[in-house]
Amino acid sequence: MTIILHSRKAIFIRCRKTASTAIEIDLSKIASNMDVVTSISPRDESIRTAAGGRTAQNISANGAEFFNHMPATEVAALLGNRIWSSYFSFCIERNPWDKVVSMFFHRLGRRTSARTLHEFIKSGEFLQARNAELYCKDGSPIVTYIGKYEELDVSLNHAYSKIGAAYTGLNTSPKSQFRPILDNYRDHYSEDLKQDVEQAFQNEIKLHGYQF
């Protein structure tokens, strides 16, 4: 889902495995009838409706459509530079080693993935957890602000304050059932798997200073 709050001059770029569905559901509750809200899965749509959020609306613009996990470069191109440069755009990023484990459990729970983290990484499927391509252009961020999943409330409080909205915490967690509670990502890695992720996520690690 992509959220563009014209009413607050704000754009949320959805990154993978960063509580983005919960954030988008929360933002959809403050969207007006002029704002862009893209569609989500039927299950998540029912959660959004129950939470009082707006369903998909205004997804077409200039002969194209906004879509789920839409890169910032494409959002900017569709909106035009005047709007993009004058709006507050933001996203959330996450430690890549933790993010890969989160994606593995999510897909394992849906029975669409490898059965072990080793298989998940060695098959190359883990590369789909890379987010830099969603908020960067030529390797450099083009969004106004990148918050951290590891300090999510602090990051969202900052972002919401920039758009004149009150942040009261996320009240939904649509994907939390897939991963064991209190699971520590470090426990899942051998040294070679750790290095595979480090190599594949070099840009994100460099940009945000993440360590294993």
Side-chain angles (χ1 to χ4, degrees):
M1 180 165 61
T2 298
I3 294 283
I4 302 172
L5 303 176
H6 291 296
S7 55
R8 295 177 182 271
K9 294 188 174 182
I11 302 167
F12 178 67
I13 300 298
R14 173 175 178 152
C15 289
R16 303 176 184 93
K17 308 315 300 174
T18 58
S20 57
T21 302
I23 295 169
E24 289 164 332
I25 288 173
D26 197 56
L27 289 171
S28 72
K29 294 188 293 184
I30 63 172
S32 74
N33 59 9
M34 66 184 290
D35 297 332
V36 175
V37 179
T38 54
S39 60
I40 50 180
S41 71
R43 176 185 175 277
D44 293 337
E45 191 65 77
S46 65
I47 295 174
R48 178 164 66 179
T49 300
R54 286 182 178 266
T55 55
Q57 61 177 33
N58 305 323
I59 63 172
S60 299
N62 301 320
E65 290 189 353
F66 296 100
F67 58 87
N68 196 12
H69 291 306
M70 190 172 186
T73 52
E74 295 186 35
V75 174
L78 196 51
L79 288 175
N81 184 64
R82 181 184 63 81
I83 292 178
W84 174 263
S85 61
S86 63
Y87 280 25
F88 177 81
S89 55
F90 72 103
C91 64
I92 302 296
E93 186 54 286
R94 184 177 186 174
N95 181 302
W97 290 281
D98 188 25
K99 186 169 51 174
V100 166
V101 170
S102 178
M103 179 174 281
F104 164 68
F105 274 110
H106 181 214
R107 296 191 175 183
L108 180 65
R110 294 164 56 196
R111 300 178 183 271
T112 61
S113 178
R115 306 307 298 178
T116 67
L117 183 66
H118 183 274
E119 292 176 3
F120 184 67
I121 290 177
K122 294 303 183 181
S123 71
E125 188 177 356
F126 81 115
L127 297 175
Q128 295 175 31
R130 290 194 291 204
N131 285 326
E133 62 197 31
L134 297 176
Y135 55 79
C136 287
K137 180 179 181 179
D138 299 326
S140 298
I142 62 171
V143 295
T144 311
Y145 174 68
I146 303 173
K148 295 286 187 68
Y149 179 86
E150 293 76 22
E151 47 188 37
L152 188 59
D153 285 334
V154 172
S155 296
L156 291 179
N157 188 63
H158 173 77
Y160 277 49
S161 70
K162 290 294 185 179
I163 63 175
Y167 175 67
T168 58
L170 298 178
N171 297 316
T172 61
S173 53
K175 304 298 192 300
S176 62
Q177 77 274 22
F178 294 107
R179 185 172 176 181
I181 297 174
L182 302 180
D183 178 70
N184 189 321
Y185 68 86
R186 298 180 185 87
D187 295 337
H188 297 279
Y189 283 94
S190 61
E191 186 61 31
D192 68 315
L193 295 183
K194 172 186 169 183
Q195 291 177 3
D196 286 342
V197 173
E198 182 175 2
Q199 179 67 28
F201 290 78
Q202 286 185 52
N203 191 26
E204 294 176 11
I205 292 170
K206 182 179 180 180
L207 283 172
H208 308 293
Y210 279 119
Q211 299 179 348
F212 182 74

